[in-house]
Amino acid sequence: MEKIILIITVCMIIMAAPIISKMIKTPVVVIEITLGLLCGYLGLIYSDETLKLVAKFGFVYLMFLAGLEINFKLVKIIKATLAVNVILYFILLYTISGLVCWLFGLGLTYFVALPIFSLGMIMMLLKEYGKEQPWLNLALSIGVVGEIISILALTLFSGWTEYGFTSNFFYSILTIALVIVAIILLLRVSYVLFWWFPEIRNFIIPENQDDKHDQDIRFSLSLLLIFVSIMLILKIDVVLGAFTTGLFFKMFFNQKHELLEKIESFGYGFFAPIFFIYTGSTVKLDMVTLDILHHAIFIMCAIITIRLISSYLVFYNYLKFKQTMLFALSDSMPLTFMVAIAMLSYNYGLISQNEYFSFIIASMLDGLFLMVLIRKLYKTFDIKTTKL
């Protein structure tokens, strides 16, 4: 009976979250985490191995979707004159993050989490403000690079959490490097193969009217699980495998709009919400104290501050005051990856339970506060639509 109630509760949240999101104009991810937190407090969602397994797959699927969001053509939007600025921007992000960690005595988890990127919230901003905004276009372009760096950082961080600074860790780095080389070669070979023999692409995934057996979904999900399994065999974090699969489909099946819509619908509509609901349920509301809330606000402020400083130092001459602020704030919502890093760190004992709670609460507050703030500032600044 308890499992039935658990299933019904999770499904009700999945159905209700987007409706509530529209009603109160709040990111749906924040709603999912919040409802998961409340239902966990009420005992409607509890620790269950099946739910945990599905939530893990939800995270894997989320990384798969992250690969689908990558579009290397957007990198070309960054003009040649900005290439040095972009490199400097990332150097400043990690330098200031390191300085913050040193000043406040924070661990490696914070150094990885504070400058991390996630395209999810930026994509939501794009839906609202369009691609013709210079600040948002630049945020998306840099977000592409930032998410790739974040994927690598998350993969390396996962290796460190498991092995520490031992020979096994450096062996895992070598393995990751070789896997990345193999992935690049695979993508290159696939590009040449599909270029010379385009019929192979249609053979693997037929046109929609000819696909009577849902071959597109069979192939995509099977390939995802194969790549994830290979990463498990090589003892590499599954993030890299899931991300690579998404990147593969984005590069070679981008014209299959129906397939991409199906994949995204499965992910954003079901699997990813379960991950966020489960994550919210792991925060014990009755254990949340003022210290936890203060620390959550500190994390949120640190994330925003390091981006504001880096952005104004690097992009002020290009975007000027108003658009630089909007750019910095739009890149300050690494909700999905911050949740992932927090859960990973907590599972390996790198952060305390209170710190874990703070990270989850910070991710919620950050997404909610900045989405509202950006909307207010955008109206106040009266930004005109121009091309980058």
Side-chain angles (χ1 to χ4, degrees):
M1 186 65 180
E2 287 184 350
K3 284 208 172 187
I4 295 175
I5 294 174
L6 175 64
I7 293 170
I8 292 174
T9 301
V10 172
C11 291
M12 289 295 291
I13 293 175
I14 291 173
M15 290 190 293
I19 298 172
I20 298 173
S21 174
K22 290 178 183 177
M23 289 173 60
I24 63 177
K25 296 181 179 179
T26 302
V28 68
V29 174
V30 175
I31 301 297
E32 288 162 354
I33 294 175
T34 304
L35 291 178
L37 187 150
L38 292 174
C39 289
Y41 174 72
L42 296 172
L44 296 173
I45 299 177
Y46 55 89
S47 180
D48 179 79
E49 288 302 316
T50 304
L51 177 61
K52 189 175 181 180
L53 180 63
V54 177
K56 283 184 177 179
F57 182 74
F59 171 66
V60 170
Y61 207 99
L62 196 62
M63 297 302 101
F64 176 40
L65 293 174
L68 282 175
E69 288 177 350
I70 295 295
N71 187 346
F72 287 109
K73 290 181 180 179
L74 288 173
V75 180
K76 296 179 181 179
I77 294 174
I78 302 175
K79 298 177 182 179
T81 53
L82 286 178
V84 175
N85 299 62
V86 172
I87 295 171
L88 181 60
Y89 177 69
F90 282 105
I91 291 174
L92 280 172
L93 274 182
Y94 280 91
T95 301
I96 298 172
S97 296
L99 185 61
V100 170
C101 292
W102 178 71
L103 287 174
F104 292 94
L106 304 174
L108 184 62
T109 297
Y110 292 84
F111 177 69
V112 176
L114 294 181
I116 207 160
F117 276 77
S118 180
L119 284 175
M121 302 300 280
I122 297 177
M123 299 303 288
M124 293 184 66
L125 290 173
L126 275 175
K127 290 180 181 179
E128 184 168 350
Y129 302 106
K131 294 182 179 180
E132 301 303 316
Q133 301 293 338
W135 59 275
L136 190 51
N137 223 331
L138 184 62
L140 181 60
S141 303
I142 288 180
V144 169
V145 180
E147 183 149 305
I148 294 172
I149 293 173
S150 298
I151 289 288
L152 293 175
L154 189 57
T155 304
L156 290 173
F157 181 67
S158 176
W160 180 82
T161 55
E162 186 170 354
Y163 301 114
F165 285 115
T166 63
S167 58
N168 286 333
F169 172 65
F170 294 104
Y171 175 76
S172 70
I173 291 179
L174 178 61
T175 305
I176 290 170
L178 292 174
V179 167
I180 291 173
V181 171
I183 288 170
I184 293 171
L185 289 174
L186 174 65
L187 294 175
R188 189 64 185 172
V189 169
S190 300
Y191 177 81
V192 173
L193 189 65
F194 290 143
W195 174 265
W196 285 104
F197 305 101
E199 63 273 11
I200 294 177
R201 196 177 332 203
N202 288 327
F203 178 76
I204 295 173
I205 299 181
E207 293 298 329
N208 208 39
Q209 63 271 18
D210 299 324
D211 190 5
K212 298 179 181 179
H213 304 290
D214 294 311
Q215 194 170 322
D216 52 358
I217 289 296
R218 290 172 184 245
F219 180 75
S220 56
L221 293 183
S222 296
L223 190 64
L224 169 62
L225 293 175
I226 288 170
F227 269 94
V228 168
S229 299
I230 292 172
M231 296 301 120
L232 289 172
I233 292 171
L234 296 174
K235 296 183 179 180
I236 298 175
D237 194 271
V238 295
V239 166
L240 189 59
F243 180 78
T244 300
T245 311
L247 188 60
F248 177 83
F249 279 93
K250 187 67 175 181
M251 288 179 66
F252 303 116
F253 296 97
N254 193 36
Q255 77 283 2
K256 303 282 187 181
H257 300 294
E258 297 86 356
L259 170 61
L260 298 184
E261 287 174 4
K262 284 182 185 178
I263 292 172
E264 290 179 353
S265 295
F266 273 117
Y268 291 122
F270 187 74
F271 290 118
I274 291 177
F275 168 69
F276 290 117
I277 292 166
Y278 172 77
T279 300
S281 71
T282 59
V283 178
K284 308 302 179 186
L285 195 58
D286 55 341
M287 296 177 64
V288 175
T289 63
L290 281 176
D291 287 338
I292 291 174
L293 291 175
H294 288 158
H295 194 60
I297 294 172
F298 166 78
I299 293 171
M300 183 182 74
C301 291
I303 289 171
I304 297 171
T305 301
I306 64 173
R307 283 165 173 78
L308 282 171
I309 294 172
S310 301
S311 299
Y312 275 105
L313 287 175
V314 175
F315 294 116
Y316 176 78
N317 289 335
Y318 178 70
L319 292 174
K320 304 307 177 186
F321 179 81
K322 295 178 180 179
Q323 296 205 44
T324 300
M325 179 173 288
L326 289 172
F327 162 77
L329 295 178
S330 65
D331 264 346
S332 299
M333 296 181 285
L335 195 154
T336 53
F337 278 5
M338 189 161 73
V339 168
I341 288 174
M343 182 166 285
L344 187 67
S345 299
Y346 179 60
N347 289 338
Y348 281 98
L350 295 175
I351 57 175
S352 66
Q353 188 179 58
N354 286 356
E355 287 178 299
Y356 170 71
F357 291 166
S358 293
F359 268 107
I360 302 302
I361 294 170
S363 67
M364 294 164 55
L365 293 176
D366 183 62
L368 179 60
F369 172 70
L370 289 182
M371 289 294 282
V372 173
L373 180 60
I374 289 171
R375 187 179 291 119
K376 295 290 184 183
L377 290 176
Y378 183 79
K379 291 180 180 178
T380 303
F381 290 162
D382 191 25
I383 302 294
K384 294 182 179 180
T385 301
T386 55
K387 291 188 178 181
L388 187 65

Short mmCIF file of all heavy atoms in Angstrom, two decimals, residues 74 77 122 125-141 318-319 322-324 326-327 330 374 377-379 381-388:
data_model
loop_
_atom_site.label_atom_id
_atom_site.label_comp_id
_atom_site.label_asym_id
_atom_site.label_seq_id
_atom_site.Cartn_x
_atom_site.Cartn_y
_atom_site.Cartn_z
N LEU A 74 26.73 27.68 -32.15
CA LEU A 74 26.57 28.86 -31.31
C LEU A 74 27.91 29.44 -30.89
O LEU A 74 28.02 30.63 -30.61
CB LEU A 74 25.75 28.51 -30.06
CG LEU A 74 24.26 28.27 -30.29
CD1 LEU A 74 23.62 27.77 -29.01
CD2 LEU A 74 23.58 29.54 -30.75
N ILE A 77 29.11 32.33 -32.75
CA ILE A 77 28.51 33.63 -32.45
C ILE A 77 29.50 34.52 -31.70
O ILE A 77 29.48 35.74 -31.80
CB ILE A 77 27.21 33.44 -31.63
CG1 ILE A 77 26.16 32.72 -32.49
CG2 ILE A 77 26.66 34.76 -31.14
CD1 ILE A 77 24.90 32.36 -31.74
N ILE A 122 19.07 28.66 -18.83
CA ILE A 122 19.29 29.60 -19.94
C ILE A 122 18.29 29.31 -21.07
O ILE A 122 17.78 30.23 -21.71
CB ILE A 122 20.74 29.51 -20.46
CG1 ILE A 122 21.72 29.93 -19.36
CG2 ILE A 122 20.93 30.40 -21.69
CD1 ILE A 122 23.17 29.81 -19.75
N LEU A 125 15.15 30.96 -20.33
CA LEU A 125 15.22 32.39 -20.62
C LEU A 125 15.06 32.65 -22.11
O LEU A 125 14.43 33.63 -22.53
CB LEU A 125 16.55 32.96 -20.13
CG LEU A 125 16.75 33.05 -18.61
CD1 LEU A 125 18.18 33.47 -18.29
CD2 LEU A 125 15.76 34.03 -17.99
N LEU A 126 15.65 31.77 -22.92
CA LEU A 126 15.54 31.91 -24.38
C LEU A 126 14.08 31.84 -24.83
O LEU A 126 13.66 32.57 -25.73
CB LEU A 126 16.35 30.82 -25.08
CG LEU A 126 17.83 31.10 -25.30
CD1 LEU A 126 18.51 29.88 -25.89
CD2 LEU A 126 18.03 32.29 -26.21
N LYS A 127 13.33 30.95 -24.22
CA LYS A 127 11.92 30.82 -24.58
C LYS A 127 11.15 32.10 -24.26
O LYS A 127 10.18 32.43 -24.93
CB LYS A 127 11.30 29.63 -23.84
CG LYS A 127 11.81 28.27 -24.31
CD LYS A 127 11.17 27.13 -23.54
CE LYS A 127 11.70 25.79 -24.00
NZ LYS A 127 11.11 24.66 -23.24
N GLU A 128 11.60 32.79 -23.22
CA GLU A 128 10.88 33.99 -22.78
C GLU A 128 11.33 35.25 -23.51
O GLU A 128 10.51 36.09 -23.87
CB GLU A 128 11.06 34.19 -21.27
CG GLU A 128 10.25 35.35 -20.72
CD GLU A 128 10.21 35.36 -19.20
OE1 GLU A 128 10.63 34.37 -18.58
OE2 GLU A 128 9.74 36.37 -18.64
N TYR A 129 12.65 35.38 -23.76
CA TYR A 129 13.17 36.63 -24.30
C TYR A 129 13.67 36.53 -25.75
O TYR A 129 13.95 37.55 -26.37
CB TYR A 129 14.32 37.15 -23.42
CG TYR A 129 13.90 37.38 -21.99
CD1 TYR A 129 14.29 36.51 -20.98
CD2 TYR A 129 13.09 38.46 -21.65
CE1 TYR A 129 13.90 36.70 -19.66
CE2 TYR A 129 12.69 38.67 -20.33
CZ TYR A 129 13.10 37.78 -19.35
OH TYR A 129 12.70 37.97 -18.06
N GLY A 130 13.81 35.31 -26.28
CA GLY A 130 14.25 35.15 -27.66
C GLY A 130 15.76 35.19 -27.81
O GLY A 130 16.49 35.55 -26.89
N LYS A 131 16.23 34.83 -29.01
CA LYS A 131 17.66 34.73 -29.27
C LYS A 131 18.28 36.03 -29.78
O LYS A 131 19.47 36.07 -30.07
CB LYS A 131 17.92 33.61 -30.30
CG LYS A 131 17.58 32.22 -29.80
CD LYS A 131 17.92 31.17 -30.84
CE LYS A 131 17.58 29.77 -30.33
NZ LYS A 131 17.91 28.72 -31.33
N GLU A 132 17.50 37.07 -29.91
CA GLU A 132 18.02 38.31 -30.48
C GLU A 132 18.57 39.27 -29.43
O GLU A 132 18.89 40.41 -29.74
CB GLU A 132 16.92 39.02 -31.28
CG GLU A 132 16.36 38.19 -32.44
CD GLU A 132 17.44 37.75 -33.41
OE1 GLU A 132 18.29 38.60 -33.75
OE2 GLU A 132 17.46 36.58 -33.81
N GLN A 133 18.65 38.81 -28.19
CA GLN A 133 19.21 39.64 -27.13
C GLN A 133 20.72 39.39 -27.03
O GLN A 133 21.13 38.25 -26.80
CB GLN A 133 18.55 39.30 -25.78
CG GLN A 133 17.05 39.50 -25.76
CD GLN A 133 16.65 40.95 -25.89
OE1 GLN A 133 17.43 41.84 -25.60
NE2 GLN A 133 15.42 41.19 -26.32
N PRO A 134 21.55 40.41 -27.18
CA PRO A 134 23.01 40.21 -27.12
C PRO A 134 23.47 39.56 -25.82
O PRO A 134 24.30 38.65 -25.83
CB PRO A 134 23.56 41.64 -27.24
CG PRO A 134 22.51 42.38 -28.00
CD PRO A 134 21.20 41.80 -27.53
N TRP A 135 22.92 40.00 -24.69
CA TRP A 135 23.33 39.44 -23.40
C TRP A 135 22.96 37.97 -23.28
O TRP A 135 23.74 37.16 -22.76
CB TRP A 135 22.69 40.23 -22.25
CG TRP A 135 21.19 40.26 -22.26
CD1 TRP A 135 20.40 41.13 -22.96
CD2 TRP A 135 20.30 39.39 -21.56
NE1 TRP A 135 19.07 40.86 -22.74
CE2 TRP A 135 18.97 39.80 -21.88
CE3 TRP A 135 20.47 38.31 -20.69
CZ2 TRP A 135 17.84 39.17 -21.36
CZ3 TRP A 135 19.35 37.68 -20.17
CH2 TRP A 135 18.06 38.10 -20.51
N LEU A 136 21.79 37.61 -23.80
CA LEU A 136 21.33 36.22 -23.70
C LEU A 136 22.00 35.34 -24.74
O LEU A 136 22.31 34.17 -24.48
CB LEU A 136 19.81 36.18 -23.85
CG LEU A 136 19.12 34.84 -23.54
CD1 LEU A 136 19.55 34.31 -22.18
CD2 LEU A 136 17.61 35.01 -23.57
N ASN A 137 22.25 35.91 -25.90
CA ASN A 137 22.96 35.16 -26.95
C ASN A 137 24.37 34.82 -26.49
O ASN A 137 24.86 33.71 -26.70
CB ASN A 137 23.01 36.00 -28.23
CG ASN A 137 22.71 35.17 -29.46
OD1 ASN A 137 22.98 33.98 -29.49
ND2 ASN A 137 22.15 35.80 -30.47
N LEU A 138 25.02 35.78 -25.87
CA LEU A 138 26.37 35.55 -25.36
C LEU A 138 26.33 34.55 -24.20
O LEU A 138 27.20 33.69 -24.09
CB LEU A 138 26.99 36.87 -24.89
CG LEU A 138 28.45 36.80 -24.41
CD1 LEU A 138 29.36 36.33 -25.53
CD2 LEU A 138 28.91 38.15 -23.88
N ALA A 139 25.31 34.67 -23.36
CA ALA A 139 25.16 33.73 -22.24
C ALA A 139 25.00 32.30 -22.75
O ALA A 139 25.58 31.36 -22.20
CB ALA A 139 23.96 34.13 -21.39
N LEU A 140 24.22 32.15 -23.81
CA LEU A 140 24.01 30.82 -24.38
C LEU A 140 25.29 30.29 -25.02
O LEU A 140 25.66 29.12 -24.85
CB LEU A 140 22.89 30.86 -25.41
CG LEU A 140 22.53 29.53 -26.08
CD1 LEU A 140 22.07 28.52 -25.04
CD2 LEU A 140 21.44 29.73 -27.13
N SER A 141 25.99 31.17 -25.75
CA SER A 141 27.23 30.75 -26.41
C SER A 141 28.28 30.33 -25.39
O SER A 141 28.93 29.30 -25.54
CB SER A 141 27.76 31.91 -27.27
OG SER A 141 26.80 32.32 -28.21
N TYR A 318 31.94 45.56 -23.92
CA TYR A 318 31.16 45.01 -25.03
C TYR A 318 29.66 45.14 -24.80
O TYR A 318 28.91 45.57 -25.68
CB TYR A 318 31.54 43.54 -25.23
CG TYR A 318 30.76 42.88 -26.33
CD1 TYR A 318 30.98 43.21 -27.67
CD2 TYR A 318 29.79 41.92 -26.04
CE1 TYR A 318 30.25 42.61 -28.68
CE2 TYR A 318 29.06 41.31 -27.04
CZ TYR A 318 29.30 41.66 -28.37
OH TYR A 318 28.58 41.06 -29.36
N LEU A 319 29.21 44.79 -23.60
CA LEU A 319 27.78 44.78 -23.31
C LEU A 319 27.29 46.02 -22.56
O LEU A 319 26.08 46.26 -22.50
CB LEU A 319 27.43 43.53 -22.49
CG LEU A 319 27.55 42.18 -23.19
CD1 LEU A 319 27.30 41.05 -22.20
CD2 LEU A 319 26.59 42.07 -24.36
N LYS A 322 24.08 47.60 -18.22
CA LYS A 322 22.80 46.91 -18.06
C LYS A 322 22.84 45.48 -18.59
O LYS A 322 22.44 44.53 -17.91
CB LYS A 322 21.69 47.70 -18.76
CG LYS A 322 21.42 49.07 -18.14
CD LYS A 322 20.33 49.81 -18.92
CE LYS A 322 20.06 51.18 -18.32
NZ LYS A 322 19.02 51.92 -19.08
N GLN A 323 23.34 45.34 -19.83
CA GLN A 323 23.34 44.01 -20.43
C GLN A 323 24.38 43.09 -19.79
O GLN A 323 24.20 41.87 -19.77
CB GLN A 323 23.57 44.12 -21.94
CG GLN A 323 22.44 44.85 -22.66
CD GLN A 323 22.33 44.47 -24.11
OE1 GLN A 323 22.40 43.30 -24.46
NE2 GLN A 323 22.14 45.46 -24.97
N THR A 324 25.44 43.67 -19.26
CA THR A 324 26.43 42.85 -18.55
C THR A 324 25.81 42.25 -17.30
O THR A 324 26.05 41.08 -16.97
CB THR A 324 27.67 43.69 -18.17
OG1 THR A 324 28.26 44.22 -19.35
CG2 THR A 324 28.70 42.83 -17.44
N LEU A 326 22.59 41.59 -16.83
CA LEU A 326 21.65 40.54 -17.26
C LEU A 326 22.40 39.28 -17.70
O LEU A 326 21.98 38.16 -17.41
CB LEU A 326 20.78 41.06 -18.41
CG LEU A 326 19.73 42.12 -18.04
CD1 LEU A 326 19.07 42.68 -19.29
CD2 LEU A 326 18.69 41.54 -17.10
N PHE A 327 23.52 39.48 -18.38
CA PHE A 327 24.34 38.35 -18.81
C PHE A 327 24.86 37.57 -17.60
O PHE A 327 24.76 36.34 -17.54
CB PHE A 327 25.52 38.84 -19.65
CG PHE A 327 26.64 37.85 -19.77
CD1 PHE A 327 26.53 36.76 -20.62
CD2 PHE A 327 27.80 37.99 -19.01
CE1 PHE A 327 27.55 35.82 -20.72
CE2 PHE A 327 28.83 37.07 -19.11
CZ PHE A 327 28.70 35.98 -19.96
N SER A 330 22.04 35.70 -15.84
CA SER A 330 21.52 34.57 -16.62
C SER A 330 22.44 33.36 -16.58
O SER A 330 22.01 32.22 -16.74
CB SER A 330 21.29 34.99 -18.07
OG SER A 330 22.51 35.33 -18.71
N ILE A 374 15.66 38.86 -13.08
CA ILE A 374 15.95 39.12 -14.49
C ILE A 374 14.73 39.71 -15.19
O ILE A 374 14.85 40.65 -15.98
CB ILE A 374 16.42 37.83 -15.20
CG1 ILE A 374 17.83 37.45 -14.73
CG2 ILE A 374 16.42 38.01 -16.72
CD1 ILE A 374 18.30 36.09 -15.20
N LEU A 377 14.46 43.36 -14.00
CA LEU A 377 15.52 44.20 -14.56
C LEU A 377 15.33 44.41 -16.06
O LEU A 377 15.59 45.49 -16.58
CB LEU A 377 16.89 43.57 -14.29
CG LEU A 377 17.38 43.58 -12.83
CD1 LEU A 377 18.70 42.84 -12.71
CD2 LEU A 377 17.52 45.01 -12.32
N TYR A 378 14.89 43.37 -16.74
CA TYR A 378 14.68 43.47 -18.19
C TYR A 378 13.64 44.54 -18.51
O TYR A 378 13.81 45.34 -19.44
CB TYR A 378 14.23 42.11 -18.73
CG TYR A 378 14.06 42.08 -20.24
CD1 TYR A 378 15.16 41.96 -21.08
CD2 TYR A 378 12.79 42.18 -20.81
CE1 TYR A 378 15.00 41.93 -22.46
CE2 TYR A 378 12.62 42.15 -22.18
CZ TYR A 378 13.73 42.03 -23.00
OH TYR A 378 13.57 42.01 -24.37
N LYS A 379 12.58 44.56 -17.73
CA LYS A 379 11.55 45.58 -17.93
C LYS A 379 12.05 46.96 -17.54
O LYS A 379 11.78 47.96 -18.20
CB LYS A 379 10.30 45.22 -17.12
CG LYS A 379 9.56 43.99 -17.63
CD LYS A 379 8.34 43.69 -16.78
CE LYS A 379 7.61 42.45 -17.30
NZ LYS A 379 6.44 42.13 -16.44
N PHE A 381 15.24 48.03 -17.43
CA PHE A 381 16.30 48.49 -18.32
C PHE A 381 15.79 48.83 -19.71
O PHE A 381 16.43 49.55 -20.47
CB PHE A 381 17.40 47.43 -18.44
CG PHE A 381 18.21 47.25 -17.18
CD1 PHE A 381 18.97 46.10 -17.00
CD2 PHE A 381 18.22 48.22 -16.20
CE1 PHE A 381 19.73 45.93 -15.85
CE2 PHE A 381 18.97 48.06 -15.04
CZ PHE A 381 19.73 46.91 -14.87
N ASP A 382 14.62 48.26 -20.07
CA ASP A 382 14.03 48.48 -21.40
C ASP A 382 15.06 48.16 -22.50
O ASP A 382 15.38 48.99 -23.35
CB ASP A 382 13.56 49.93 -21.54
CG ASP A 382 12.71 50.15 -22.79
OD1 ASP A 382 12.12 49.16 -23.27
OD2 ASP A 382 12.67 51.28 -23.29
N ILE A 383 15.56 46.92 -22.45
CA ILE A 383 16.58 46.48 -23.40
C ILE A 383 15.99 46.34 -24.79
O ILE A 383 14.94 45.74 -24.97
CB ILE A 383 17.19 45.13 -22.97
CG1 ILE A 383 17.79 45.25 -21.56
CG2 ILE A 383 18.23 44.66 -23.96
CD1 ILE A 383 18.98 46.17 -21.48
N LYS A 384 16.68 46.89 -25.77
CA LYS A 384 16.22 46.77 -27.16
C LYS A 384 16.78 45.50 -27.78
O LYS A 384 17.88 45.07 -27.47
CB LYS A 384 16.67 47.99 -27.98
CG LYS A 384 16.00 49.29 -27.54
CD LYS A 384 16.44 50.45 -28.41
CE LYS A 384 15.75 51.74 -27.99
NZ LYS A 384 16.17 52.88 -28.82
N THR A 385 16.02 44.92 -28.68
CA THR A 385 16.41 43.69 -29.35
C THR A 385 17.35 44.00 -30.51
O THR A 385 16.98 44.69 -31.45
CB THR A 385 15.18 42.95 -29.90
OG1 THR A 385 14.32 42.65 -28.81
CG2 THR A 385 15.59 41.66 -30.59
N THR A 386 18.56 43.48 -30.39
CA THR A 386 19.55 43.63 -31.47
C THR A 386 20.31 42.34 -31.62
O THR A 386 20.36 41.52 -30.71
CB THR A 386 20.55 44.75 -31.15
OG1 THR A 386 21.15 44.50 -29.88
CG2 THR A 386 19.88 46.11 -31.13
N LYS A 387 20.94 42.18 -32.76
CA LYS A 387 21.71 40.96 -32.99
C LYS A 387 23.13 41.13 -32.48
O LYS A 387 23.68 42.22 -32.49
CB LYS A 387 21.74 40.60 -34.48
CG LYS A 387 20.38 40.14 -34.99
CD LYS A 387 20.49 39.62 -36.40
CE LYS A 387 19.15 39.10 -36.90
NZ LYS A 387 19.23 38.56 -38.26
N LEU A 388 23.68 39.98 -32.05
CA LEU A 388 25.05 39.99 -31.54
C LEU A 388 26.03 40.24 -32.66
O LEU A 388 25.90 39.65 -33.71
CB LEU A 388 25.34 38.64 -30.88
CG LEU A 388 26.65 38.49 -30.14
CD1 LEU A 388 26.69 39.41 -28.93
CD2 LEU A 388 26.88 37.06 -29.71
#
